[in-house]
C-alpha cells in the first residue's frame, strides 16, 4: 500500500539519455569531466553528480550483429535496504511513505559504511564525503509529481506508479517476473528484462553481504543482551553470594 | 595505619584511568552508532562530532592499551597449577566462604581478563582504524565491521564483569586505582605468591 516504483523496460529505451539530463537538471548536479573510452556510455560509472546513468551494452551475435542494450542504472530503493541497515547515523538515510530510500546530507557522517551494505554499489560521496545517490526526486514525489527521469522519458522506458500496478501491468505485457520483484523485499526499481540480468550488468541474486545480515540479526541483539545479562548476573551475585570480604583479621 | 604495599605505580594508575575512560566513552558512542540513538549523539554534540570523538578517542585507547602491556602482560602470561585449581573453584566467587588457591600479583581471572582485553582490544582497534581510514574499500570494510562488532560484544560482556569484580564484589580492591597501595595483610591473603616474591627480594 502506498509503495511506488519505477518500471524500467530496456526494450523501449533508445539510449537518448534525456533522463540522465533531466535528473541532473532537477537535482542541480554539475557535469563531470569524462574521458572518451570508446563507448557512448558516458560517464562510465555513477558519480556523486550522476544519480541515474544509462548503461550501454553491446551484445553482437550471429543473428544480430548490432544488438545494443540500454538500461538505467541507479539506486534501487530496496525494501530491505543494506545501506540503511549498516548506516550508524540517525536520520542520515530514511524511507518515505512511497518507499523511497532518501538521504539527509546534514545527518550523514561520511563514514561510507553504506557502500559496504549496498548490493548494487550505488552510494557515491560528494567532496565533503557525504552520501550522494538517486532519491527518486522525493521532493517532486512529495508534491505529487513524478520523478524527473520518468517525466522526461519519451518512449515509456521509465514508468513511475504504484508498485503493485507496475507488477500487474508488466505481467499483462508478458513479463512473468520482473527483475527485483522478489529480491531484498522487492526493489523500488523494477526491470522488465528479456534476457538474463547479467547481460544488463546486474546480479542474478542481489544480496546484502552475509556478515552484515549476521551482524544485524545476531550481534546487535547480543550487544545489549550481553551487557544486560552480565549486569543482571552481577547484581544477582551481589545479592545471593555477596562480596568477597576478608572474614577475620589474620 | 596498617602497613601498606604498593601494587600499582602512579603511571600505571594514570594509564589505567585513560584506558578505562576512553573505553567507556568509545563504548557509549559505539552504542549510539549501533542503535542510532539520538539521545547519545546529542550528548556528544551531534553524530558528526561523535564520529570524530569516537575516532580520536580510538587513538587514545590504542596508545593506552599499548602502554598497559608494560603493566600487566608479563604477570598475565605466567600460569601454573594453582591457576587450574582457581578455575576449578571459579575463583571462590560461587561460595560465601571462599577458599582460593594462592595467587601471584594477578589472580587467574585477572590474567585471563587481561589477555582477552588485549586480544579483543587490538582487534577492535585495528578494525576501527580500517573503517576510519580506508572508507569505501568494500571488502576491507565488511570484514572490519564484523571484527569491530564481535570485539564490541565480547568487551561489553567482559568489561562490566571486570568493573563489578574490581569494585563492590571485592572491597579493598578499588583503592588500587586511587592510591596504588593495599594493606600488607590483605595482599598476603589475596596475592601470597606475590608477597613471597617481594619479601624474598628476587
Ligand atoms: C581503537 C580504535 C577505534 C577506532 C579507530 C574506531 C573507529 C570506529 C569507526 C570508524 C566506526 C564507524 C562509525 C564511525 O565512523 O564513527 C566505529 C563504530 C563503532 N565502534 Fe569503534 N573504533 C575504535 C574503538 C572502539 C572501541 C574500544 C569500542 C567499544 C568498546 C568501539 C565500539 C564501536 C561500535 C559499537 C561501533 C558501531 C558499530 C558499527 O557501526 O560498526 N569502537 N568505530
Ligand atoms: S556515509 Fe552517511 S549515509 Fe552512508 S552509512 Fe555513513 S552516515 Fe550513513
Ligand atoms: S540500491 Fe543500495 S543505496 Fe539504493 S536502497 Fe538499495 S542498498 Fe540502499
Amino acid at each position: 500500500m502506498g509503495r511506488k516504483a519505477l518500471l524500467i523496460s530496456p526494450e523501449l529505451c533508445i539510449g537518448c539519455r534525456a533522463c540522465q539530463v533531466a535528473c541532473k537538471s532537477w537535482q542541480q548536479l554539475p557535469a563531470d569531466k569524462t574521458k572518451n573510452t570508446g563507448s557512448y556510455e558516458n560517464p562510465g560509472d555513477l558519480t556523486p553528480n550522476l544519480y541515474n546513468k544509462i548503461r550501454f551494452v553491446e551484445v553482437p551475435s550471429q543473428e544480430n550483429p548490432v544488438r545494443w542494450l540500454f538500461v538505467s542504472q541507479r539506486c534501487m530503493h530496496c525494501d530491505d535496504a543494506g545501506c540503511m541497515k549498516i548506516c550508524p547515523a540517525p536520520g542520515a538515510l530514511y524511507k518515505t511513505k512511497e518507499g523511497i530510500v532518501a538521504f539527509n546530507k546534514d545527518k550523514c557522517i561520511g563514514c561510507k559504511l553504506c557502500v559496504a551494505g549496498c548490493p548494487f554499489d550505488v552510494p557515491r560521496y560528494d567532496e565533503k564525503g557525504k552520501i550522494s545517490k538517486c532519491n527518486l526526486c522525493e521532493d517532486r514525489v512529495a508534491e505529487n509529481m513524478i520523478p524527473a527521469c520518468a517525466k522526461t522519458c519519451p518512449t515509456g522506458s521509465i514508468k513511475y506508479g504504484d508498485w503493485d500496478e507496475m507488477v500487474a501491468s508488466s505481467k499483462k505485457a508478458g513479463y512473468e517476473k520482473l527483475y527485483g520483484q522478489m529480491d531484498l523485499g522487492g526493489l523500488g526499481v523494477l526491470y522488465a528484462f528479456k534476457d538474463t540480468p547479467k547481460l544488463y550488468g546486474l546480479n542474478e541474486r542481489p544480496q546484502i553481504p552475509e556478515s552484515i545480515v549476521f551482524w544485524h540479526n545476531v550481534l546487535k541483539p547480543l550487544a545489549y543482551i550481553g551487557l544486560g545479562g552480565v549486569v543482571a548476573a552481577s547484581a544477582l551475585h551481589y545479592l545471593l553470594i555477596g562480596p568477597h570480604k576478608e572474614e577475620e583479621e589474620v | 595505619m596498617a602497613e601498606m604495599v604498593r601494587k600499582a605505580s602512579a603511571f600505571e594508575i594514570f594509564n589505567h584511568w585513560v584506558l578505562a575512560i576512553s573505553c567507556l566513552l568509545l563504548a557509549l558512542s559505539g552504542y549510539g552508532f549501533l542503535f542510532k540513538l539520538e539521545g547519545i549523539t546529542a550528548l556528544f554534540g551531534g553524530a558528526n562530532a561523535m564520529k570524530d570523538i569516537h575516532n580520536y578517542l580510538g587513538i587514545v585507547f590504542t596508545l593506552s592499551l599499548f602502554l598497559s602491556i608494560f603493566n600487566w602482560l608479563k604477570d598475565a602470561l605466567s600460569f601454573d597449577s594453582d591457576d587450574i585449581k582457581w578455575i576449578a573453584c571459579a575463583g571462590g566467587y560461587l561460595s560465601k566462604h571462599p577458599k582460593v588457591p594462592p595467587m601471584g600479583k594477578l589472580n587467574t581471572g585477572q590474567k585471563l581478563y587481561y589477555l582477552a582485553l588485549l586480544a579483543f582490544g587490538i582487534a577492535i582497534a585495528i578494525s576501527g582504524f580500517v573503517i576510519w581510514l580506508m572508507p569505501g574499500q568494500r571488502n576491507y570494510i565488511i570484514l572490519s565491521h564484523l571484527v569491530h562488532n564481535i570485539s564490541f560484544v565480547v568487551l561489553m560482556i567482559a568489561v562490566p564483569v571486570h568493573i563489578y569484580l574490581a569494585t563492590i564484589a571485592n572491597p579493598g580492591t578499588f583503592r588500587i586505582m586511587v592510591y596504588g597501595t593495599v594493606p600488607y595483610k590483605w595482599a598476603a591473603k589475596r596475592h601470597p605468591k606475590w608477597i613471597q616474591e617481594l619479601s624474598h627480594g628476587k
Side-chain angles (χ1 to χ4, degrees):
Chain A
M1 207 209 81
R3 187 161 189 216
K4 302 285 185 182
L6 286 183
L7 173 62
I8 306 216
S9 312
E11 297 300 321
L12 299 178
C13 182
I14 53 174
C16 70
R17 291 190 296 208
C19 57
Q20 217 173 292
V21 176
C23 172
K24 281 207 178 238
S25 160
W26 179 259
Q27 303 274 7
Q28 302 190 305
L29 298 166
D32 290 304
K33 251 209 166 74
T34 57
K35 277 208 181 88
N36 185 346
T37 58
S39 164
Y40 284 106
E41 179 173 323
N42 187 33
D45 198 1
L46 296 176
T47 77
N49 300 318
L50 186 68
Y51 295 172
N52 163 41
K53 188 204 73 178
I54 297 299
R55 182 180 272 148
F56 286 55
V57 192
E58 290 176 59
V59 263
S61 64
Q62 213 73 11
E63 310 86 70
N64 189 352
V66 288
R67 186 159 179 228
W68 218 358
L69 305 174
F70 310 117
V71 61
S72 164
Q73 179 196 355
R74 58 169 71 235
C75 171
M76 304 291 205
H77 301 280
C78 314
D79 183 42
D80 181 16
C83 59
M84 292 185 71
K85 254 202 178 109
I86 199 170
C87 174
L93 295 168
Y94 58 94
K95 226 180 239 171
T96 70
K97 62 182 192 307
E98 297 86 6
I100 297 172
V101 177
F103 58 87
N104 178 342
K105 287 199 191 218
D106 290 334
K107 303 229 164 141
C108 169
I109 60 174
C111 66
K112 305 191 182 173
L113 283 177
C114 43
V115 78
C118 172
F120 299 100
D121 183 29
V122 164
R124 297 291 183 271
Y125 306 94
D126 65 17
E127 66 290 342
K128 289 192 183 121
K130 309 279 176 150
I131 185 170
S132 206
K133 69 169 191 70
C134 162
N135 64 357
L136 219 58
C137 298
E138 64 156 335
D139 46 352
R140 293 175 60 90
V141 167
E143 296 299 323
N144 283 320
M145 295 189 281
I146 71 173
C149 53
K151 174 92 180 162
T152 306
C153 179
T155 67
S157 175
I158 302 181
K159 282 206 199 84
Y160 175 81
D162 290 330
W163 198 91
D164 296 330
E165 226 163 83
M166 293 290 139
V167 172
S169 70
S170 58
K171 196 157 186 179
K172 257 189 229 140
Y175 292 94
E176 229 358 86
K177 200 184 117 214
L178 294 170
Y179 178 82
Q181 197 179 322
M182 313 290 233
D183 297 303
L184 301 152
L187 302 182
V189 179
L190 302 162
Y191 290 83
F193 284 152
K194 282 236 157 112
D195 262 304
T196 130
K198 226 168 152 186
L199 207 57
Y200 299 87
L202 285 166
N203 245 334
E204 196 80 47
R205 303 225 79 257
Q207 269 167 335
I208 300 173
E210 269 167 35
S211 76
I212 293 170
V213 175
F214 169 75
W215 161 77
H216 184 78
N217 294 340
V218 179
L219 291 178
K220 271 170 80 171
L222 271 183
Y224 62 81
I225 295 171
L227 175 67
V230 291
V231 170
S234 301
L236 218 58
H237 178 268
Y238 193 76
L239 292 175
L240 295 183
I241 296 176
H244 181 171
K245 288 205 186 80
E246 289 324 320
E247 311 220 306
E248 74 296 21
E249 284 303 307
V250 194
Chain B
M1 273 298 285
E3 192 191 346
M4 302 303 256
V5 52
R6 181 159 287 281
K7 196 158 183 277
S9 70
F11 176 73
E12 285 170 339
I13 298 171
F14 169 74
N15 189 44
H16 190 183
W17 278 111
V18 173
L19 189 65
I21 292 170
S22 62
C23 181
L24 290 181
L25 289 173
L26 283 161
L28 185 66
S29 49
Y31 272 112
F33 287 132
L34 199 52
F35 299 104
K36 305 191 204 190
L37 303 171
E38 265 171 298
I40 293 183
T41 54
L43 276 181
F44 286 88
N48 275 293
M50 187 165 91
K51 175 191 151 83
D52 291 332
I53 294 171
H54 186 91
N55 292 170
Y56 286 100
L57 272 178
I59 300 179
V60 176
F61 175 84
T62 307
L63 286 177
S64 182
L65 187 68
F66 173 71
L67 292 173
S68 78
I69 289 176
F70 303 102
N71 304 4
W72 292 307
L73 188 59
K74 192 164 153 281
D75 289 308
L77 284 175
S78 66
F79 287 92
D80 61 26
S81 59
D82 285 329
D83 291 303
I84 302 194
K85 291 184 205 142
W86 191 96
I87 291 169
C89 74
Y93 288 118
L94 299 182
S95 150
K96 290 195 182 199
H97 306 284
K99 284 254 167 339
V100 188
M103 289 287 117
K105 192 173 180 187
L106 298 177
N107 71 34
T108 314
Q110 291 169 324
K111 289 189 266 196
L112 293 176
Y113 170 73
Y114 181 68
L115 294 178
L117 176 76
L118 189 60
F120 289 99
I122 291 172
I124 207 167
I126 293 178
S127 56
F129 285 119
V130 171
I131 300 171
W132 181 14
L133 303 171
M134 298 170 76
Q137 306 224 26
R138 203 160 181 268
N139 292 334
Y140 286 107
I141 297 299
I142 289 173
L143 179 65
S144 302
H145 181 260
L146 184 66
V147 171
H148 207 64
N149 283 275
I150 290 175
S151 316
F152 183 65
V153 168
V154 173
L155 291 176
M156 285 310 99
I157 290 170
V159 172
V161 173
H162 167 69
I163 295 174
Y164 170 64
L165 291 176
T167 54
I168 57 175
N170 287 293
T173 312
F174 184 68
R175 62 169 292 123
I176 301 167
M177 261 187 92
V178 183
Y179 306 106
T181 59
V182 288
Y184 188 86
K185 279 180 185 161
W186 182 92
K189 276 194 94 179
R190 297 290 181 108
H191 304 280
K193 289 201 277 189
W194 171 51
I195 293 297
Q196 255 169 33
E197 246 175 70
L198 281 186
S199 48
H200 290 310
K202 324 270 134 65

